[in-house]
Coordinates of all heavy atoms in Angstrom, one line a residue:
S480 N -12.9 -8.2 -0.6 CA -11.9 -8.4 0.4 C -12.0 -9.8 1.0 O -11.1 -10.2 1.7 CB -12.0 -7.3 1.5 OG -13.3 -7.4 2.1
G481 N -13.1 -10.5 0.8 CA -13.2 -11.8 1.3 C -14.5 -12.4 0.8 O -15.2 -11.8 0.0
V482 N -14.9 -13.5 1.4 CA -16.2 -14.1 1.0 C -17.2 -13.8 2.1 O -17.0 -14.2 3.2 CB -16.0 -15.7 0.8 CG1 -17.3 -16.3 0.4 CG2 -14.9 -16.0 -0.2
P483 N -18.3 -13.1 1.7 CA -19.3 -12.8 2.7 C -19.9 -14.1 3.3 O -20.1 -15.1 2.7 CB -20.4 -12.0 1.9 CG -19.7 -11.5 0.7 CD -18.6 -12.6 0.4
D484 N -20.2 -14.0 4.6 CA -20.8 -15.1 5.3 C -22.2 -15.5 4.7 O -22.5 -16.7 4.7 CB -21.0 -14.9 6.8 CG -19.6 -14.8 7.5 OD1 -18.6 -15.3 6.9 OD2 -19.5 -14.2 8.6
A485 N -22.9 -14.5 4.2 CA -24.3 -14.8 3.7 C -24.2 -15.6 2.5 O -25.3 -16.2 2.1 CB -25.0 -13.5 3.5
V486 N -23.1 -15.8 1.8 CA -23.0 -16.6 0.6 C -23.4 -18.0 0.9 O -24.1 -18.7 0.2 CB -21.6 -16.5 0.0 CG1 -21.4 -17.6 -1.1 CG2 -21.3 -15.1 -0.6
F487 N -23.0 -18.5 2.1 CA -23.1 -19.9 2.5 C -24.6 -20.2 3.0 O -24.9 -21.3 3.3 CB -22.1 -20.3 3.5 CG -20.7 -19.9 3.0 CD1 -20.0 -18.9 3.6 CD2 -20.1 -20.7 2.0 CE1 -18.7 -18.6 3.2 CE2 -18.8 -20.4 1.6 CZ -18.1 -19.3 2.2
D488 N -25.4 -19.1 3.0 CA -26.8 -19.3 3.3 C -27.6 -19.5 2.0 O -28.8 -19.8 2.1 CB -27.4 -18.1 4.0 CG -26.7 -18.0 5.4 OD1 -26.4 -19.0 6.0 OD2 -26.6 -16.8 5.9
L489 N -27.0 -19.4 0.8 CA -27.7 -19.6 -0.4 C -27.6 -21.1 -0.7 O -26.8 -21.6 -1.5 CB -27.0 -18.8 -1.6 CG -27.0 -17.3 -1.4 CD1 -26.1 -16.6 -2.4 CD2 -28.4 -16.8 -1.5
T490 N -28.4 -21.9 0.0 CA -28.3 -23.3 -0.1 C -28.7 -23.9 -1.4 O -28.3 -25.1 -1.7 CB -29.2 -23.9 1.0 OG1 -30.6 -23.4 0.8 CG2 -28.7 -23.5 2.4
D491 N -29.4 -23.2 -2.3 CA -29.8 -23.7 -3.6 C -28.9 -23.3 -4.7 O -29.2 -23.5 -5.9 CB -31.2 -23.2 -3.9 CG -31.3 -21.7 -3.9 OD1 -30.4 -21.0 -3.4 OD2 -32.4 -21.2 -4.4
L492 N -27.7 -22.8 -4.4 CA -26.7 -22.3 -5.4 C -26.0 -23.6 -6.0 O -25.6 -24.5 -5.3 CB -25.7 -21.4 -4.7 CG -24.9 -20.5 -5.7 CD1 -25.9 -19.5 -6.3 CD2 -23.9 -19.7 -4.9
D493 N -25.9 -23.5 -7.3 CA -25.2 -24.6 -8.1 C -23.8 -24.3 -8.4 O -22.9 -25.2 -8.4 CB -26.0 -24.9 -9.4 CG -27.4 -25.4 -9.1 OD1 -27.6 -26.3 -8.3 OD2 -28.3 -24.8 -9.7
V494 N -23.5 -23.0 -8.8 CA -22.2 -22.6 -9.2 C -21.7 -21.4 -8.4 O -22.5 -20.4 -8.3 CB -22.1 -22.3 -10.7 CG1 -20.7 -21.9 -11.2 CG2 -22.7 -23.5 -11.5
L495 N -20.5 -21.4 -7.9 CA -20.0 -20.3 -7.1 C -18.6 -19.9 -7.8 O -17.7 -20.7 -7.9 CB -19.7 -20.7 -5.7 CG -19.1 -19.6 -4.8 CD1 -19.9 -18.3 -4.7 CD2 -18.8 -20.1 -3.4
K496 N -18.5 -18.6 -8.2 CA -17.3 -18.1 -8.8 C -16.7 -17.0 -7.9 O -17.4 -16.1 -7.6 CB -17.7 -17.5 -10.2 CG -18.1 -18.5 -11.3 CD -18.2 -17.8 -12.6 CE -18.6 -18.8 -13.7 NZ -18.7 -18.2 -15.0
L497 N -15.5 -17.3 -7.5 CA -14.7 -16.3 -6.7 C -13.5 -15.8 -7.5 O -12.6 -16.6 -7.9 CB -14.2 -17.0 -5.4 CG -15.3 -17.7 -4.6 CD1 -14.7 -18.3 -3.4 CD2 -16.4 -16.7 -4.1
E498 N -13.5 -14.5 -7.8 CA -12.5 -14.0 -8.7 C -11.8 -12.8 -8.0 O -12.4 -11.9 -7.5 CB -13.1 -13.5 -10.0 CG -12.0 -13.0 -11.0 CD -12.6 -12.7 -12.4 OE1 -13.8 -13.0 -12.5 OE2 -11.8 -12.3 -13.3
L499 N -10.4 -12.9 -8.0 CA -9.6 -11.8 -7.4 C -10.0 -11.5 -6.0 O -10.2 -10.3 -5.6 CB -9.7 -10.5 -8.3 CG -9.1 -10.6 -9.7 CD1 -9.3 -9.4 -10.5 CD2 -7.6 -10.9 -9.6
I500 N -10.1 -12.5 -5.2 CA -10.3 -12.4 -3.7 C -9.2 -13.1 -3.0 O -9.2 -14.3 -2.7 CB -11.7 -13.1 -3.3 CG1 -12.8 -12.5 -4.2 CG2 -12.0 -12.9 -1.9 CD1 -14.2 -13.1 -3.9
P501 N -8.1 -12.3 -2.8 CA -6.9 -13.0 -2.2 C -7.0 -13.5 -0.8 O -6.3 -14.4 -0.4 CB -5.9 -11.8 -2.2 CG -6.7 -10.6 -2.2 CD -7.9 -10.9 -3.0
E502 N -8.0 -13.0 0.0 CA -8.1 -13.5 1.3 C -9.3 -14.4 1.5 O -10.0 -14.3 2.5 CB -8.2 -12.3 2.3 CG -6.9 -11.4 2.3 CD -5.7 -12.2 2.8 OE1 -5.9 -13.1 3.6 OE2 -4.6 -11.9 2.3
A503 N -9.7 -15.1 0.5 CA -10.9 -15.9 0.5 C -10.7 -17.1 1.5 O -9.7 -17.8 1.5 CB -11.2 -16.5 -0.9
K504 N -11.7 -17.2 2.4 CA -11.7 -18.3 3.3 C -13.1 -19.0 3.2 O -14.1 -18.4 3.2 CB -11.5 -17.8 4.7 CG -10.1 -17.2 5.0 CD -10.0 -16.8 6.4 CE -8.6 -16.2 6.7 NZ -8.4 -15.0 6.0
I505 N -13.0 -20.3 3.1 CA -14.2 -21.1 3.0 C -14.5 -21.8 4.4 O -13.8 -22.7 4.7 CB -14.1 -22.2 1.9 CG1 -13.8 -21.4 0.6 CG2 -15.4 -23.0 1.8 CD1 -13.6 -22.4 -0.6
P506 N -15.5 -21.4 5.1 CA -15.8 -21.9 6.4 C -16.6 -23.2 6.4 O -17.0 -23.6 5.3 CB -16.5 -20.8 7.1 CG -17.3 -20.1 6.0 CD -16.4 -20.2 4.8
A507 N -16.9 -23.7 7.5 CA -17.7 -25.0 7.6 C -19.1 -24.8 7.1 O -19.8 -25.7 6.8 CB -17.7 -25.4 9.1
K508 N -19.6 -23.5 7.1 CA -21.0 -23.3 6.7 C -21.2 -23.7 5.3 O -22.4 -23.8 4.8 CB -21.3 -21.8 6.9 CG -21.5 -21.3 8.3 CD -21.8 -19.8 8.4 CE -23.1 -19.5 7.7 NZ -23.5 -18.1 7.8
I509 N -20.2 -23.9 4.5 CA -20.4 -24.3 3.1 C -21.1 -25.6 3.0 O -21.7 -26.0 2.0 CB -19.1 -24.3 2.3 CG1 -19.3 -24.3 0.8 CG2 -18.2 -25.5 2.7 CD1 -18.0 -24.2 0.0

Side-chain angles (χ1 to χ4, degrees):
S480 58
V482 182
D484 290 342
V486 169
F487 307 106
D488 295 328
L489 300 171
T490 56
D491 55 346
L492 202 64
D493 299 309
V494 182
L495 177 60
K496 290 185 178 181
L497 305 178
E498 184 173 359
L499 292 174
I500 305 179
E502 298 297 331
K504 295 181 178 65
I505 302 178
K508 287 181 63 178
I509 197 173

